[in-house]
Amino acid sequence: MIYDLIVIGAGSGGVRSARIAATHGAKVAIIEGSKFGGTCVNLGCVPKKLFYYVSQFNKDLDNYASYGWNVKEKKLNWKKFITKKDNEINRLNSIYKNLLLKNKVTIINGFASFIDKNTVKVGNKKFKSKKFIIATGSKPRVLNNFQKFVHSSDDIFKIPTLPERMSILGGGYIAIEFACIFSNLGVKVDLLYRGNKILKEFDQDLTEKLQENMKNSKIKIHLNVEIKEISKSDKKNLVIKTNNKKIKTNYILSAIGREPNVDKLNLSEAKVQINDDGSIKANRDFQTTNENIYAIGDVLNYLNLTPMAIRQGHYISEKIFNKKTLEYDFKNVPTAVFSSPQLASVGLTLDAARLNRMECYELKTEFKSMKKSFKTNIKDTFYKLVVEKKSQKVIGAHILSDDAGELIQLLAILIVSGATLDDFKKTVPVHPTSSEEFITI
Ligand code: NDP
């Protein structure tokens, strides 16, 4: 039998593309060597957000002590939490699987590798298809030399108990999110980053403010760090030697980026080329150097966010099997780092706008949220809008706040639909909220 479409990888993007193709009558199979739902559901966004929630409660309890609450015994049953988290993920795995079965997608368990332009092998079975979508995602980058001492973000979700001290390597999304999560849970966190600006793609005013907030939460941030040696000092303790200090720790999380997961695919047999960074070469329609093979999500190493993979998968299946070209705004993609406070962004920063030779200016406001009235003197909220001078269109929004992830979604709609600063100003604010400051900014 020859399938119309074989999707390789049943993560969020793969499942969406398979399902849409099947609803348009295509004969579809999906190949998955691990659990349904991919990184996002099993080892990424979903368990991370549950970790975020469990840690925020502790932070909130601290804050509300300043209102007069006296909670005598603060005790977290970590084992119970991990079991609950695992049950929730199993539930989501089944939803993904059932979604495929309901839409009559054939499920093939195992890892696929191409043996020619139209055929893949899974174990000793061969499967042919007219079209393929590669949606195999990414995997944690390995820290050469020290790998045996460190854990990746795949391992962190199974951590059996909370350590007293944790060192986190990296300055990107994962490093920052887990530094805040574990610090909020009471772990003493050292963050070790090779550069001098964490989250370097984000607006610098905001990342500096986030850094202040993290330091205020007792996270030790070590910048310009080069790791020279890691050793075990005894059963429980490790020592990290850097270019200028020694750090004692009980657990090391390496979060130094992710790499496209393409090793097992045998892409050369299918004439699919890869870029220098290991990502798959593709055009604007996500078509690879083999016209019948498409690639979506982290294998493209471009805005490695779950909703991007889903949109790309949906786009391809509509285009091929329904002759419809969906319109997406891939220029203004909102994103959020679930730090404490959260950092979120959509559209251009002022620096990026200037690089694009656009005449722009920014409006900003910084304040302490009302919720923390009695707690800390540090400002935990920072809003910034980037406005194009001539059109007065808001072309960027950058936020630091406890609910930045929720706010940025709505600001993204305004930016995608071309709202001007006047549209913001003529809207009546909701009082008392933090977000009314977007109108009075
Ligand atoms: P990021 O790309 O965000 O950050 C990687 C970090 O590791 C950077 O600080 C980088 O430093 C550093 N690094 C890279 N190579 C080395 C090396 N050889 N030695 C030391 N440090 C190194 O990757 P993450 O692993 O944090 O996350 C992977 C991706 O997953 C993210 O880019 C994002 O797309 C996605 N993600 C999204 C989340 C969300 O939406 N909330 C949450 C988590 C992940 P430098 O800056 O100097 O290059």
Side-chain angles (χ1 to χ4, degrees):
M1 143 149 170
I2 299 179
Y3 287 100
D4 294 318
L5 173 69
I6 288 183
V7 179
I8 309 176
S12 307
V15 169
R16 174 64 67 91
S17 51
R19 183 169 67 79
I20 297 299
T23 57
H24 293 309
K27 265 186 292 168
V28 185
I30 194 161
I31 305 174
E32 173 57 58
S34 184
K35 288 183 169 182
F36 293 90
T39 302
C40 175
V41 168
N42 297 289
L43 299 164
C45 329
V46 173
K48 183 275 306 292
K49 195 73 188 279
L50 296 174
F51 270 49
Y52 171 82
Y53 285 132
V54 80
S55 75
Q56 282 298 308
F57 184 71
N58 201 22
K59 197 173 169 68
D60 277 350
L61 277 180
D62 278 350
N63 184 40
Y64 287 119
S66 68
Y67 280 66
W69 278 101
N70 179 6
V71 180
K72 283 254 156 48
E73 200 196 12
K74 273 202 312 180
K75 207 168 168 204
L76 169 64
N77 185 336
W78 184 253
K79 220 171 139 193
K80 186 170 176 183
F81 164 64
I82 294 289
T83 307
K84 289 245 174 195
K85 180 264 299 173
D86 288 342
N87 292 344
E88 176 59 8
I89 287 169
N90 290 338
R91 188 182 72 85
L92 296 172
N93 291 151
S94 320
I95 289 178
Y96 271 64
K97 192 171 176 181
N98 290 334
L99 210 57
L100 292 165
L101 294 173
K102 209 173 104 192
N103 285 285
K104 304 201 168 39
V105 174
T106 304
I107 291 174
I108 302 165
N109 295 305
F111 291 97
S113 63
F114 283 95
I115 50 176
D116 63 43
K117 282 165 86 172
N118 297 96
T119 320
V120 287
K121 195 172 77 169
V122 180
N124 15 353
K125 286 201 177 135
K126 291 176 188 168
F127 300 93
K128 279 193 179 294
S129 181
K130 291 178 200 157
K131 306 274 180 205
F132 288 88
I133 294 178
I134 301 171
T136 46
S138 61
K139 56 185 181 197
R141 178 172 291 136
V142 167
L143 183 69
N144 291 332
N145 305 329
F146 308 119
Q147 198 54 22
K148 68 175 175 181
F149 297 109
V150 305
H151 299 268
S152 72
S153 57
D154 290 356
D155 308 318
I156 197 81
F157 295 113
K158 294 178 221 116
I159 190 166
T161 51
L162 290 173
E164 191 190 331
R165 290 174 174 279
M166 180 180 286
S167 289
I168 301 182
L169 317 181
Y173 281 80
I174 297 178
I176 301 305
E177 288 183 344
F178 281 108
C180 295
I181 286 170
F182 283 101
S183 165
N184 290 341
L185 286 167
V187 176
K188 291 178 188 128
V189 174
D190 286 278
L191 180 83
L192 288 75
Y193 172 47
R194 67 178 178 182
N196 58 7
K197 282 181 212 147
I198 59 165
L199 295 167
K200 65 180 183 194
E201 309 294 335
F202 286 82
D203 179 279
Q204 206 182 325
D205 281 342
L206 272 73
T207 53
E208 278 170 11
K209 190 51 65 182
L210 172 61
Q211 247 180 225
E212 265 179 51
N213 275 269
M214 288 169 71
K215 284 181 185 162
N216 196 47
S217 304
K218 305 214 166 44
I219 297 172
K220 286 193 184 150
I221 302 179
H222 312 269
L223 299 176
N224 302 307
V225 163
E226 202 184 315
I227 294 172
K228 298 284 187 192
E229 198 185 311
I230 302 179
S231 58
K232 227 172 170 164
S233 58
D234 57 57
K235 220 173 161 190
K236 263 181 134 183
N237 296 298
L238 294 146
V239 178
I240 305 174
K241 259 193 215 165
T242 74
N243 42 334
N244 53 23
K245 59 186 85 160
K246 272 186 189 176
I247 294 165
K248 234 175 134 181
T249 191
N250 309 118
Y251 189 100
I252 305 174
L253 168 65
S254 168
I256 59 165
R258 295 179 64 87
E259 289 173 346
N261 196 12
V262 294
D263 306 347
K264 293 181 185 159
L265 291 170
N266 211 12
L267 291 175
S268 56
E269 286 303 318
K271 308 279 180 278
V272 172
Q273 291 174 14
I274 56 171
N275 297 305
D276 291 344
D277 65 355
S279 62
I280 294 179
K281 242 182 214 173
N283 65 18
R284 294 172 79 96
D285 283 332
F286 315 107
Q287 197 171 28
T288 69
T289 44
N290 175 333
E291 61 175 2
N292 291 321
I293 302 181
Y294 294 76
I296 59 168
D298 286 12
V299 288
L300 298 174
N301 199 18
Y302 169 70
L303 295 177
N304 297 335
L305 304 166
T306 301
M308 284 296 284
I310 294 174
R311 289 281 159 112
Q312 292 160 352
H314 201 129
Y315 176 93
I316 297 169
S317 288
E318 283 290 345
K319 195 165 172 106
I320 303 175
F321 299 105
N322 194 29
K323 306 272 173 280
K324 189 171 161 190
T325 303
L326 296 176
E327 251 188 63
Y328 291 130
D329 186 335
F330 285 136
K331 279 199 317 269
N332 295 299
V333 175
T335 180
V337 182
F338 293 95
S339 46
S340 298
Q342 299 173 3
L343 180 66
S345 183
V346 61
L348 296 176
T349 59
L350 190 62
D351 286 347
R354 283 182 176 155
L355 275 177
N356 284 319
R357 297 176 190 277
M358 296 168 84
E359 253 195 277
C360 296
Y361 63 95
E362 61 184 19
L363 297 168
K364 47 188 170 182
T365 177
E366 192 187 353
F367 53 98
K368 183 166 80 161
S369 59
M370 199 172 168
K371 181 176 162 183
K372 294 179 194 151
S373 293
F374 313 123
K375 171 70 180 163
T376 160
N377 280 326
I378 197 163
K379 290 177 177 159
D380 63 343
T381 307
F382 197 131
Y383 296 160
K384 191 181 261 198
L385 296 178
V386 180
V387 183
E388 194 190 21
K389 233 179 190 168
K390 200 166 163 213
S391 66
Q392 286 296 294
K393 277 188 181 167
V394 178
I395 56 160
H398 311 280
I399 324 173
L400 183 79
S401 81
D402 278 344
D403 43 14
E406 300 293 339
L407 288 174
I408 208 70
Q409 184 69 80
L410 300 177
L411 286 162
I413 298 172
L414 289 173
I415 289 179
V416 167
S417 48
T420 62
L421 191 58
D422 240 17
D423 294 324
F424 277 64
K425 298 273 179 207
K426 70 185 178 200
T427 307
V428 178
V430 182
H431 184 73
T433 60
S434 290
S435 55
E436 64 183 304
E437 298 282 334
F438 279 117
I439 289 154
T440 52
I441 196 168

